[in-house]
Amino acid sequence: MATGQPYTRLIRRLESIGALSEESRHFISQLPMTVRSYKTNQDILREGDVPTQCCLVVDGYLCRHKMANGSKRQIISFHIPGDMPDLQSLHLTRLDHNISTLGPAAVAFIPHAALREMLPRSRELTHAFWRETLVDAAMFREWVVNLGQREALARVSHILCEMTLRLQAIGLAREFTFALPWTQGDLGDACGISPVHVNRVIQNLRARGAIEWHAKVIKILNWEELKSIGDFSPEYLHLRGEHHDTRIEAD
Amino acid sequence: MATGQPYTRLIRRLESIGALSEESRHFISQLPMTVRSYKTNQDILREGDVPTQCCLVVDGYLCRHKMANGSKRQIISFHIPGDMPDLQSLHLTRLDHNISTLGPAAVAFIPHAALREMLPRSRELTHAFWRETLVDAAMFREWVVNLGQREALARVSHILCEMTLRLQAIGLAREFTFALPWTQGDLGDACGISPVHVNRVIQNLRARGAIEWHAKVIKILNWEELKSIGDFSPEYLHLRGEHHDTRIEAD
DNA sequence: CGTTCTATTGACTCGATTCAAACTAAGTGG
DNA sequence: CCACTTAGTTTGAATCGAGTCAATAGAACG
């Protein structure tokens, strides 16, 4: 996994949903960034915080989560390199959820001031960043559908499908195999099911020959079946290119 | 329910999350709008559509929803006067969900062209509209928590709390009483529970003396208890003003 | 005034949770 | 490098929240 410069990650992500001009890429490469490393399950931001900088995932996985009833954790989104999980803090001062690592991760921080100075100068980048937050919202909508209307087996399959395409879009999931440092408990908190049941679901998927998952590496053995079990259609990801019926060609 | 001009609704909504200058209010009042009336359960936009205008709720309720497994409907958000449920269409060309009425409604349409011309001229309005879409996303996040971590009684209570505050914020829910043209089935599609179970939950809330609901009018009898049952905290709505522990003063 | 949609109630079933225990992998310190 | 500790995975049994099916009652509509 070549680390690359933080801004390379960001450019690649922004380009996965829309074209960027040479000028925009230059603007981004000029943004000041401070990179920091985190261990597993470390909080990066907490509910109620008032951030003065935005974070950008460079390596590893982050998640956003909220607590319900004081103790139950709901994971709201997963974030991969190139994502800016708190872009919203540019316009909403107080954070309404937590941001933490899942597994070790590297995160870059960009001061709000730098972004606020850059955006008015580039309509294309304003557009791109705004759209980034809108795609974020689109994923939440699908997450709502996932939790509200699908049973456990489909929920888990759906999330695995989403991760596959998102990782492929930034070049981190060749051949349908990728690192996934989540515990089964994490996945349960994302799907709204108990860790015990996650385990049963995963064994079901293994028995069907749909996936292989061992030592924090997952391999999708039967993409079509996983999509079908998970009732998955990729339109909501608003990725560029066609329908992504199969991403095999996206080597 | 005084109808008022469409732009009055919009200004009021935008001001419920942040201040607007005189100039901004003027810009908005100059936007071209075409108002149309709809009956109950009419589609305004469908998944896959490529809108060329944004819609603004003037009167009544809209909802956004997606289908899962081809037949199950998940309602993703409710929209009240002043909301612009497809603001995102400014930057995401293809709609990934449906927008329909719940009960009769009046909707104003604003051409994308007019908004695209206005926004670059006003940093405040770009900020305000962007923030509007971010608050939208914040409500989705809470919706995810609601579906993922709370049981049926709490889910329903939580949504009723949310509607109360949102309606109060635009002056449509004095004294904790307001019109709600949803069927129990609609509410079930929003909470991810069956219509039969919605009925049982409502009767439970009635028996506790928490609400009264009859003839499409709901009255919150015990706000504190409803909040407590629904595990409700209003921060995610990002409304202006303090903590909204009680909104009685917001006459 | 019948047609249709919505609300209500009861009985049965099922997916998922909880509790508990066993097992395995991973990490720490001596 | 092993012994100990801790975190994560796996399995089974009992229980429960919610769904489904079905039938009835009531409200709204033309």
Side-chain angles (χ1 to χ4, degrees), chain B residues 84-247:
Chain B
M84 294 183 68
D86 69 335
L87 241 194
Q88 50 156 354
S89 66
L90 269 178
H91 295 110
L92 294 178
T93 50
R94 196 172 292 271
L95 203 61
D96 55 36
H97 56 270
N98 310 286
I99 304 184
S100 311
T101 59
L102 294 165
V107 179
F109 292 92
I110 309 170
H112 281 175
L115 290 163
R116 291 217 176 90
E117 202 177 297
M118 179 187 77
L119 290 178
R121 289 194 199 154
S122 164
R123 211 182 277 195
E124 184 182 77
L125 283 174
T126 301
H127 185 139
F129 276 82
W130 190 342
R131 190 166 44 178
E132 184 72 14
T133 63
L134 292 171
V135 171
D136 211 50
M139 292 193 278
F140 293 143
R141 286 193 288 273
E142 186 62 32
W143 209 293
V144 168
V145 176
N146 207 31
L147 295 180
Q149 299 299 330
R150 296 198 261 259
E151 55 179 35
L153 186 67
R155 288 186 204 179
V156 171
S157 304
H158 192 281
I159 287 195
L160 295 179
C161 288
E162 177 180 314
M163 290 315 302
T164 305
L165 287 196
R166 287 172 62 193
L167 288 165
Q168 285 178 342
I170 56 165
L172 289 180
R174 308 194 171 181
E175 297 295 323
F176 290 98
T177 303
F178 46 93
L180 212 56
W182 317 340
T183 67
Q184 295 183 1
D186 293 334
L187 187 47
D189 287 346
C191 294
I193 61 185
S194 70
V196 172
H197 201 58
V198 170
N199 185 270
R200 297 193 237 260
V201 164
I202 289 173
Q203 289 181 51
N204 186 332
L205 290 175
R206 282 186 189 130
R208 290 161 181 260
I211 66 167
E212 213 169 69
W213 190 351
H214 180 65
K216 303 197 184 308
V217 174
I218 187 167
K219 183 168 187 176
I220 312 297
L221 298 176
N222 190 338
W223 171 244
E224 289 303 325
E225 190 183 2
L226 196 66
K227 271 196 351 184
S228 152
I229 298 171
D231 184 34
F232 182 81
S233 319
E235 289 74 25
Y236 74 94
L237 292 173
H238 295 273
L239 292 169
R240 280 210 289 177
E242 343 66 309
H243 303 297
H244 306 278
D245 293 296
T246 350
R247 290 288 292 181

Side-chain angles (χ1 to χ4, degrees), chain A residues 182-185 196 199-200 203 206:
Chain A
W182 317 341
T183 66
Q184 295 183 1
V196 172
N199 185 270
R200 296 193 235 262
Q203 288 182 52
R206 282 186 188 130

Side-chain angles (χ1 to χ4, degrees), chain B residues 35-51:
Chain B
V35 179
R36 227 190 111 177
S37 291
Y38 291 88
K39 304 206 182 99
T40 299
N41 280 326
Q42 271 193 282
D43 285 347
I44 291 172
L45 290 166
R46 291 245 180 76
E47 194 170 337
D49 283 356
V50 179

